Amino acid sequence: MENIITLAHGSGSIQTSELIDSIFKSNFDNPYLTADDAAVLSLEEGKIAMSTDGFIVSPYEFPGGNIGKLAICGSVNDIACMGAKPKYLTCSYIIEEGFPVEELEKIAKSMGETARKAGILIVAGDTKVAGKGQVDKIFITTTAVGNIVDGVNTSGSFAKPGDKIIVSGDIGRHGCTILLARGEFNIDADITSDCAPLWSNIEAVFNETKDIHVIRDATRGGVGTVLYEIAKQSNVGISINHESIPIDPGVKGVCSMLGLEPLYLACEGRLVFFAPAEVADKVLNALRACENSTNAAIIGEVTGDNVGKVILNTAVGAKTILSRPSGELLPRIC
Amino acid sequence: MCVGLPARVVSVNDGTAIIDANGAKRDVRAELLDDLEPGDYVMVHAGVAIAKINSDDESEGSEVMGLLSI
Amino acid sequence: MNEVIEKAREIITGYDGPKVRIMEVCGTHTHEIFRQGIRSLLPENIDLISGPGCPVCVTPVGFIDEAIFLATEKNCLITTFGDLIKVPGTEMNLAKARANGAKIRPVYSPDDAVELARENPDEDVVFLSVGFETTTPSSCLAVKKAKELNLNNFSILTANKSMPNAYLKLKGSADAFIYPGHVNAITGNAVCKSLKDKGVSGVVAGFTATELMSALAVTIEMLKKGEPFFVNCYPRVVKDEGNPAAIKLMDEVMELCDTQWRGLGIIEKSGMKLKEEFADFDSRIKYNIPAIEGKPNPGCRCGEVLQGHCKPSDCPLFGKICTPLHAIGACMVSDEGACSAYYQYNQM
């Protein structure tokens, strides 16, 4: 096989099937992944959750993962947040002509590994090759589906005054990692992406209690954006203790260097739970016992006043509103 | 008007220094400060070390307020 | 809460004297005061005004127009502090110019822009040089470096500002000023001390919660005494003599000029431009930029806001067509802009 992707690989020719067999099939292998036009599947009775997500990230490889791992985690975590045990996933690639086959192999390998870890089967896929310059190296879109666990009923509109807000770990690592990996600001820090599939963490919580109102994974926009979304969707206020938010010191350092707010940096392996105060400790302890959520922390609570707002309790014993970023995050000097 | 970054000097070499803020490291221009040594704390702005820092903010605060006996 | 904050908090919240107006000059102070929620602690008789100390807020519309001219007409690669990306020009801001295909790149330091010019000899790199005395040395270092490297594809578009003469313009806007700690770290305290002799009071403050609270407490205690005062509340960074090497550097590379402040108009000898021997690195000369007169929105009252003459809410555009997402005036653009802070804060 050639060592770069060419337009022939996307033409439906022999090269296409060669690519699929040698790279995708070997890494994703399972009985549902066939050469037919569609995968034939069965789901258990009851409700299912389904979600789709497109992934473009530059650079496509970064400390702690690559676009492949990200593409699995993203869709798995989206349905997991609705209480669904991940079952099947489809993926679609748009690859730029000239992309190294070796790199594609690395990406496929990490997709296979992450899918196995998340307990999801990759059952169908599609590959298109775009001309040079038409896409930035590689784009991946994934769709995941799974059955919702009995007795679980979560939604962004279910947060209630008195609920405790729990994050599953330190925030902003993915965004910070990507920022540094781009090399634009010449900053060096030992930070890896938090990118991880999180169904097992959610399952661990459900084993303790199913009385959870909201689960949301904080992706682009970070935890701050999730808080605003829930405040709006549930028509409640949110009160956060700034000092109790777990933040990696390196992330803090980069943020102070560039004048960025860690609450708005992207995460790819962090959950935000809204749960009644009575079960908050159970949720916290269940999370702390799991890989990727040992630093879980209660960061605040839901209030009946200040509807639609996120209020921070600050170090001087005052309250302030979490300001909302407008558009892209930019480093600032003032 | 000016975000300052307090950081520790890791090394100094010919007018530039590597500084470390909580593990985030970067090269900055250090030629505006004399006798800079590894371990010193400096205030960095826009990639330039502009001042040495000689204590933490809490002892500074109590000193300032103490001077005025308030 | 540490002891210093607790004690300062008592003084601030307990103030029951006559109404006082305190102006924080520095945009980063505005930002931190907002972030710490300090305003919500103030009793009604303490008015905290946000002054013109955000380089973004005082950069005139025409400067953004000049940058866009260089990007679109001269095909320059514009490097800038991120702060300027969303500042409105007459027609558009830099973000929109970038979306239209202009080469606009945020950098952390002017040095990074020099590096970019070195690595890309085919690009004409322009750095948007804004900022007060704190930031100006970084531009001067960059220009000197470019000269040493004999780079002929690097230049800076200056809109650097100098504070001393601006203070005089602001005299009377407040009973006391919170001076910008990092400007004084460069310039030293002589100007502030001479202002005291002219009856202008103030303290120089740092940026942490502890530093801001103690500086406010000191200001209030000194105001109670009724005498003009100057106190250095940031001695761990600010020395009386400032940073002599930085002052010497600015003197070598730049000189004072009259300059326009957004909203305040032209203030004599309050700007900095490159000296003649560095003219090769002056974008205005290099690219022969025509005189561009920016046209701000006529309804915008940023200028009065910056001088403490009116509150953001007194402006007819505020919160209506001018919001953080669709900023018309510069004070709404950055988080530390007075209007932006006021807008978000008043939603509480």
Side-chain angles (χ1 to χ4, degrees):
Chain A
M1 212 165 104
E2 291 178 60
N3 58 4
I4 54 164
I5 299 291
T6 64
L7 289 174
H9 285 116
S11 66
S13 60
I14 302 175
Q15 284 97 326
T16 312
S17 47
E18 198 182 67
L19 183 75
I20 291 170
D21 287 346
S22 67
I23 293 190
F24 298 128
K25 242 185 145 176
S26 59
N27 281 301
F28 304 166
D29 193 39
N30 66 73
Y32 300 99
L33 184 63
T34 68
D36 287 327
D37 278 351
V40 178
L41 311 165
S42 52
L43 283 162
E44 286 157 39
E45 266 184 46
K47 286 188 175 169
I48 62 164
M50 186 168 173
S51 180
T52 191
D53 216 341
F55 297 84
I56 57 175
V57 59
S58 172
Y60 61 83
E61 191 175 12
F62 45 82
N66 60 34
I67 189 170
K69 184 179 181 188
L70 202 61
I72 301 290
C73 296
S75 286
V76 162
N77 293 345
D78 277 350
I79 63 165
C81 283
M82 302 312 292
K85 182 178 166 65
K87 185 97 184 185
Y88 305 118
L89 180 136
T90 66
C91 51
S92 154
Y93 300 85
I94 298 176
I95 307 169
E96 187 184 21
E97 181 184 17
F99 191 74
V101 169
E102 196 186 341
E103 293 295 300
L104 185 64
E105 217 162 352
K106 254 198 251 172
I107 290 168
K109 183 160 180 262
S110 105
M111 287 179 83
E113 281 167 8
T114 312
R116 279 189 287 282
K117 194 164 177 196
I120 198 162
L121 299 170
I122 302 174
V123 296
D126 178 54
T127 306
K128 295 282 187 301
V129 178
K132 195 88 189 160
Q134 290 182 327
V135 295
D136 183 11
K137 298 183 179 72
I138 180 167
F139 296 171
I140 305 178
T141 301
T142 56
T143 302
V145 64
N147 280 93
I148 293 177
V149 171
D150 263 351
V152 172
N153 192 15
T154 64
S155 159
S157 54
F158 291 170
K160 294 196 177 46
D163 280 0
K164 294 286 181 194
I165 303 166
I166 300 144
V167 292
S168 69
D170 62 300
I171 64 165
R173 275 207 337 235
H174 181 72
C176 204
T177 303
I178 297 298
L179 196 77
L180 297 187
R182 287 190 184 142
E184 284 167 14
F185 300 113
N186 301 322
I187 299 169
D188 180 26
D190 189 13
I191 301 169
T192 53
S193 170
D194 50 21
C195 175
L198 298 169
W199 168 249
S200 57
N201 309 64
I202 292 176
E203 199 174 31
V205 169
F206 287 156
N207 288 339
E208 291 301 317
T209 175
K210 293 196 173 84
D211 192 8
I212 307 288
H213 294 157
V214 184
I215 311 174
R216 196 49 73 95
D217 67 330
T219 52
R220 62 185 166 178
V223 170
T225 301
V226 167
L227 297 174
Y228 266 106
E229 281 168 3
I230 304 302
K232 190 174 172 206
Q233 229 181 316
S234 292
N235 228 5
V236 292
I238 284 176
S239 168
I240 298 293
N241 295 315
H242 211 201
E243 290 179 347
S244 59
I245 303 170
I247 306 177
D248 177 84
V251 172
K252 219 179 237 180
V254 172
C255 283
S256 53
M257 216 173 257
L258 298 177
L260 302 175
E261 169 58 62
L263 274 168
Y264 288 118
L265 284 179
C267 312
E268 287 292 345
R270 292 294 176 254
L271 301 164
V272 187
F273 291 80
F274 289 65
E278 311 85 79
V279 302
D281 282 336
K282 274 190 193 171
V283 175
L284 194 63
N285 293 332
L287 286 171
R288 284 183 175 169
C290 295
E291 189 192 356
N292 294 320
S293 56
T294 50
N295 296 325
I298 297 176
I299 60 166
E301 60 188 21
V302 177
T303 61
D305 56 358
N306 287 314
V307 170
K309 314 265 186 303
V310 179
I311 306 296
L312 298 175
N313 298 297
T314 72
V316 301
K319 288 182 193 307
T320 190
I321 192 163
L322 172 66
S323 65
R324 307 201 63 175
S326 43
E328 61 187 320
L329 291 181
L330 292 164
R332 58 189 184 86
I333 53 144
C334 83
Chain B
M1 55 190 57
C2 313
V3 171
L5 172 76
R8 190 173 51 84
V9 175
V10 179
S11 62
V12 189
N13 181 19
D14 194 24
T16 65
I18 296 175
I19 53 104
D20 179 329
N22 281 320
K25 295 196 186 74
R26 213 201 113 102
D27 275 357
V28 300
R29 299 289 284 266
E31 60 211 72
L32 300 181
L33 298 177
D34 291 334
D35 311 324
L36 213 51
E37 279 176 29
D40 284 349
Y41 278 80
V42 289
M43 192 59 76
V44 175
H45 174 78
V48 179
I50 58 166
K52 281 191 199 178
I53 303 174
N54 55 24
S55 75
D56 64 67
D57 61 341
E58 202 175 331
S59 34
E60 172 193 65
S62 45
E63 185 193 324
V64 167
M65 304 222 332
L67 278 177
L68 301 167
S69 51
I70 55 175
Chain C
M1 230 188 303
N2 65 43
E3 260 179 51
V4 177
I5 292 181
E6 249 172 80
K7 206 162 152 192
R9 205 184 132 113
E10 257 171 56
I11 294 166
I12 295 163
T13 55
Y15 177 73
D16 59 357
K19 182 139 184 139
V20 290
R21 292 176 308 154
I22 301 170
M23 176 182 277
E24 90 270 358
V25 177
C26 168
T28 308
H29 277 152
T30 308
H31 185 78
E32 290 303 315
I33 286 167
F34 173 76
R35 230 167 59 87
Q36 296 294 342
I38 290 173
R39 258 168 220 281
S40 69
L41 299 177
L42 302 178
E44 273 192 356
N45 46 0
I46 302 179
D47 220 354
L48 197 55
I49 308 162
S50 302
C54 155
V56 170
C57 300
V58 297
T59 298
V61 172
F63 180 75
I64 301 296
D65 296 346
E66 285 181 305
I68 289 174
F69 169 84
L70 289 176
T72 56
E73 301 295 320
K74 302 287 179 187
N75 197 27
C76 294
L77 167 62
I78 304 291
T79 56
T80 173
F81 295 126
D83 311 55
L84 281 174
I85 298 267
K86 289 179 235 160
V87 178
T90 301
E91 294 288 332
M92 64 178 104
N93 60 20
L94 293 169
K96 191 161 175 208
R98 185 176 55 186
N100 287 341
K103 290 176 280 190
I104 315 277
R105 173 119 178 230
V107 290
Y108 170 70
S109 157
D111 253 19
D112 294 352
V114 174
E115 203 49 40
L116 214 61
R118 210 166 60 91
E119 287 166 5
N120 301 281
D122 298 335
E123 294 282 4
D124 278 318
V125 177
V126 171
F127 176 71
L128 303 186
S129 178
V130 298
F132 296 88
E133 280 88 345
T134 321
T135 318
T136 302
S138 68
S139 286
C140 295
L141 285 172
V143 166
K144 277 186 76 175
K145 189 173 178 180
K147 190 167 185 166
E148 277 164 28
L149 293 169
N150 272 323
L151 286 182
N152 58 10
N153 65 332
F154 176 82
S155 62
I156 68 173
L157 185 66
T158 54
N160 297 72
K161 300 273 186 279
S162 168
M163 280 313 290
N165 286 320
Y167 288 139
L168 291 174
K169 173 109 183 173
L170 292 169
K171 186 182 170 185
S173 295
D175 300 306
F177 291 92
I178 309 279
Y179 293 121
H182 293 150
V183 167
N184 284 47
I186 300 287
T187 60
N189 295 326
V191 168
C192 298
K193 285 180 179 172
S194 77
L195 283 167
K196 175 190 154 191
D197 300 334
K198 291 175 183 143
V200 180
S201 294
V203 304
V204 54
F207 298 84
T208 67
T210 306
E211 285 168 338
L212 278 166
M213 289 294 280
S214 54
L216 267 175
V218 166
T219 306
I220 286 161
E221 285 299 315
M222 296 303 288
L223 280 169
K224 281 183 195 165
K225 295 184 184 165
E227 299 286 322
F229 61 89
F230 169 73
V231 184
N232 179 2
C233 295
Y234 195 24
R236 73 186 179 117
V237 170
V238 175
K239 307 285 167 287
D240 264 351
E241 69 278 15
N243 183 328
I247 296 170
K248 193 167 155 235
L249 169 75
M250 285 191 282
D251 225 31
E252 182 192 340
V253 180
M254 293 211 191
E255 61 193 3
L256 285 172
C257 60
D258 299 349
T259 193
Q260 198 191 353
W261 296 53
R262 190 185 283 243
L264 302 184
I266 289 173
I267 304 178
E268 260 179 48
K269 298 212 182 308
S270 68
M272 307 280 282
K273 64 171 188 181
L274 286 171
K275 283 191 167 164
E276 213 177 315
E277 56 177 299
F278 294 95
D280 290 350
F281 299 94
D282 187 329
S283 307
R284 282 194 190 87
I285 296 170
K286 184 172 180 178
Y287 297 105
N288 203 9
I289 303 180
I292 293 176
E293 202 185 330
K295 294 183 188 65
N297 186 306
C300 174
R301 293 182 70 183
C302 277
E304 290 161 87
V305 170
L306 291 174
Q307 295 174 83
H309 293 165
C310 83
K311 286 212 163 71
S313 54
D314 297 331
C315 172
L317 309 184
F318 177 81
K320 296 189 180 78
I321 61 166
C322 184
T323 64
L325 273 179
H326 301 281
I328 304 289
C331 303
M332 191 61 97
V333 172
S334 59
D335 276 353
E336 54 269 47
C339 292
S340 168
Y342 201 89
Y343 180 85
Q344 309 209 38
Y345 177 75
N346 279 293
Q347 291 200 321
M348 233 166 96

